[in-house]
Amino acid sequence: MRIGDLARETGVSRRLLRYYEEQGLLRPVRLPNGYRDYGDADVAAVRHIRVMLAAGLPTSVIAQLLDCVHDDGGRMVPSGCQGMAGSLRRERRRIAETIERLQTSQRALDSLLTAVAEQR
């Protein structure tokens, strides 16, 4: 299938599909005319990429883990690659640290807003 077909099938824009290719997440076959040719495995891969992006994983980590998952009735299931759990734990820690920093910033802003409100 062509990139437009993959975009319709997955609900992901052509531009984003090209970005996934640039990041090494998709590897379509190139036809002699230069067109990209995608298969059913690419539809599943795009679904997996979207799930992992929604989980907050950067594309560099997704590239490492994409071959570690497969479809089971339309549901993404880990295949148990070595190092997968460690990578996911690291990313979870990174996200938790980011949340903590943002909560600290939020508390500081709340203090500023309280101080401003008290001056009125």
Side-chain angles (χ1 to χ4, degrees):
M1 76 180 80
R2 297 254 241 359
I3 194 167
D5 300 322
L6 183 61
R8 276 188 297 284
E9 181 82 21
T10 61
V12 174
S13 71
R14 293 174 189 203
R15 182 174 180 219
L16 201 46
L17 293 171
R18 287 186 198 101
Y19 173 74
Y20 293 165
E21 183 182 352
E22 288 172 11
Q23 297 301 303
L25 304 177
L26 292 176
R27 295 174 206 91
V29 173
R30 285 291 187 155
L31 300 175
N33 61 4
Y35 289 1
R36 296 167 177 87
D37 186 36
Y38 297 94
D40 292 335
D42 294 307
V43 173
V46 170
R47 273 194 237 113
H48 299 163
I49 292 165
R50 301 301 296 166
V51 167
M52 289 189 249
L53 284 169
L57 299 177
T59 56
S60 60
V61 172
I62 293 172
Q64 296 169 8
L65 300 179
L66 195 55
D67 290 334
C68 297
V69 296
H70 66 277
D71 261 2
D72 183 19
R75 185 175 67 105
M76 188 178 86
V77 177
S79 300
C81 290
Q82 186 175 5
M84 183 176 189
S87 292
L88 293 174
R89 280 189 207 99
R90 269 190 304 282
E91 290 306 313
R92 188 183 187 294
R93 273 193 306 275
R94 180 188 60 79
I95 290 169
E97 290 167 0
T98 300
I99 290 169
E100 191 173 318
R101 282 193 306 275
L102 288 171
Q103 287 173 332
T104 299
S105 296
Q106 185 179 34
R107 285 190 295 274
L109 281 171
D110 289 344
S111 294
L112 289 170
L113 284 168
T114 299
V116 168
E118 289 172 352
Q119 289 183 352
R120 288 184 180 187

